Amino acid sequence: MKWLEVSFTVDGELAEAIADLLARFASGGVALESNQIEDDDAEGHPISPVGVRAYLPVDEHLQAQQQRLEEGLWHLGQIQSLPEPCYRLLPEEDWKHAWKEHHHPVRVGRRLLILPTWSQAPVGDRLPVILNPDMAFGTGTHPTTRLCLTALEDYLRPGQRVIDLGCGSGILSIAAARLGASQVYAWDIDPQAVQVARRNVSRNELSEIIQVKVGSLLEILAEGKQFTPTADLLLANILASTLEEMISTGLTRVVAVGGILILSGILDQQVKPLLATSDVHDLQLVETRVEDDWRALVLKNQ
Ligand code: SAH
């Protein structure tokens, strides 16, 4: 089988948006190429630009898929200007090689290392989070994920219970377990994400600590404390509008009094309305974390 490689070189945030789009069409995988491990600074800040490569099988569907892909790129290009994609035909062997070659380990914060499953890179004294990036989101490259990971490093205490709402690849849950959480309850409304997360959890041999389920806040509330006890720390990296709705629906009821909420996926201009809602529901702002236009709020349940 031959493969069509579609590649871009863009900044980190745009790379995730493009990777998300490409993932819909590229059954041969999407790779985000980052060289952070070689030359980032000690804080693990991203090095721009990031390469995005996606692989489409060359078969009878290729033409239609490529057309849909280009329509998608056109729409994305209306929001933010995109460079032209580069196309390259690859034989099977080269695809296998390219796919693995372009996923590198990514250091995040002071202690974490996000590793693709096949990586042989030395872990050193960092805590490994092993992911098969068979899903674009949750590879650790997006600022919203990184903001959560670094806040988690600072706020999680060993032995605490964590809820990860909107777990995606499971990256935050796995990091929480590595950083010493005693139990992690991961939820996502997307059954495919749940499958991916479960596979990643078992790759990290953390199935005894992390439970992954399909559902959202309403399902947690319905389970009551019996199956998902209140969390000492809750992570949610979702859209600001979803977070606002969750706070109004009773997000604080799944967090212990005095517990911490790390909310991410928030743009600068969305902070004020979200804080107004938080205030009504007795959440006290501890800290706002910043990366580019993105904000993560650290809140305390009073
Ligand atoms: N936690 C990961 C993934 C974030 S992407 C990270 O930080 O990288 C956001 C995830 O939230 C997606 O997997 C999406 O399916 C899920 N999601 C969106 N709305 C949700 C909701 N209302 N409840 C639970 N999960 C939701």
Side-chain angles (χ1 to χ4, degrees):
M1 159 110 74
K2 282 196 167 150
W3 296 86
L4 180 68
E5 182 187 77
V6 189
S7 61
F8 287 88
T9 304
V10 286
D11 72 45
E13 194 180 310
L14 186 56
E16 284 267 358
I18 294 177
D20 269 353
L21 174 73
L22 295 180
R24 283 191 241 149
F25 307 100
S27 57
V30 180
L32 287 171
E33 175 189 344
S34 144
N35 56 1
Q36 289 179 49
I37 193 68
E38 283 104 25
D39 35 71
D40 69 350
D41 58 30
E43 292 290 310
H45 287 310
I47 300 286
S48 288
V50 176
V52 187
R53 290 167 197 270
Y55 300 92
L56 283 73
V58 177
D59 57 16
E60 69 276 17
H61 305 297
L62 179 65
Q63 210 181 349
Q65 289 292 74
Q66 198 178 342
Q67 192 178 342
R68 290 175 59 206
L69 169 65
E70 288 191 352
E71 282 165 13
L73 288 171
W74 183 85
H75 285 293
L76 193 59
Q78 300 303 299
I79 305 168
Q80 202 166 350
S81 79
L82 299 181
E84 284 295 309
C86 297
Y87 289 106
R88 193 162 67 117
L89 266 182
L90 294 180
E92 178 84 9
E93 268 317 295
D94 289 4
W95 164 69
K96 278 192 190 149
H97 188 66
W99 170 229
K100 296 199 169 178
E101 194 187 342
H102 293 301
H103 263 295
H104 297 292
V106 178
R107 286 193 298 190
V108 178
R110 296 181 313 273
R111 300 178 60 195
L112 297 164
L113 180 67
I114 317 296
L115 285 167
T117 5
W118 55 80
S119 175
Q120 306 283 328
V123 171
D125 50 9
R126 288 199 168 238
L127 301 167
V129 174
I130 303 161
L131 294 178
N132 191 356
D134 35 10
M135 190 174 147
F137 212 104
T139 53
T141 322
H142 199 275
T144 61
T145 308
R146 237 183 353 253
L147 283 168
C148 286
L149 289 169
T150 49
L152 190 60
E153 277 190 343
D154 290 344
Y155 287 91
L156 182 74
R157 304 278 161 265
Q160 290 192 321
R161 286 184 310 253
V162 172
I163 292 177
D164 175 9
L165 205 41
C167 64
S169 64
I171 184 169
L172 302 180
S173 294
I174 295 167
R178 289 278 188 245
L179 289 164
S182 61
Q183 285 295 313
V184 182
Y185 303 90
W187 294 81
D188 202 293
I189 45 168
D190 176 359
Q192 214 188 332
V194 167
Q195 265 185 17
V196 171
R198 282 192 182 138
R199 279 203 294 271
N200 283 327
V201 167
S202 75
R203 270 182 196 115
N204 285 272
E205 299 180 8
L206 291 170
S207 304
E208 289 192 2
I209 295 181
I210 306 170
Q211 274 181 38
V212 192
K213 292 191 191 172
V214 178
S216 185
L217 179 60
L218 290 180
E219 283 72 22
I220 306 181
L221 289 169
E223 276 201 345
K225 291 185 183 163
Q226 196 184 352
F227 297 109
T228 310
T230 48
D232 303 302
L233 189 149
L234 178 138
L235 293 152
N237 178 15
I238 321 185
L239 298 174
S241 54
T242 311
L243 295 171
E244 225 173 297
E245 202 182 304
M246 285 178 165
I247 294 171
S248 303
T249 312
L251 189 61
T252 52
R253 280 165 41 208
V254 304
V255 180
V257 174
I260 290 287
L261 296 88
I262 299 172
L263 306 183
S264 189
I266 306 159
L267 288 164
D268 187 17
Q269 65 270 24
Q270 297 168 331
V271 169
K272 249 193 182 166
L274 195 57
L275 281 180
T277 313
S278 307
D279 203 30
V280 172
H281 292 271
D282 264 352
L283 287 167
Q284 180 202 343
L285 179 68
V286 179
E287 190 191 353
T288 305
R289 298 199 157 209
V290 178
E291 190 173 325
D292 303 332
D293 293 341
W294 296 100
R295 305 289 176 269
L297 302 180
V298 180
L299 300 156
K300 193 171 182 179
N301 191 23
Q302 311 205 71

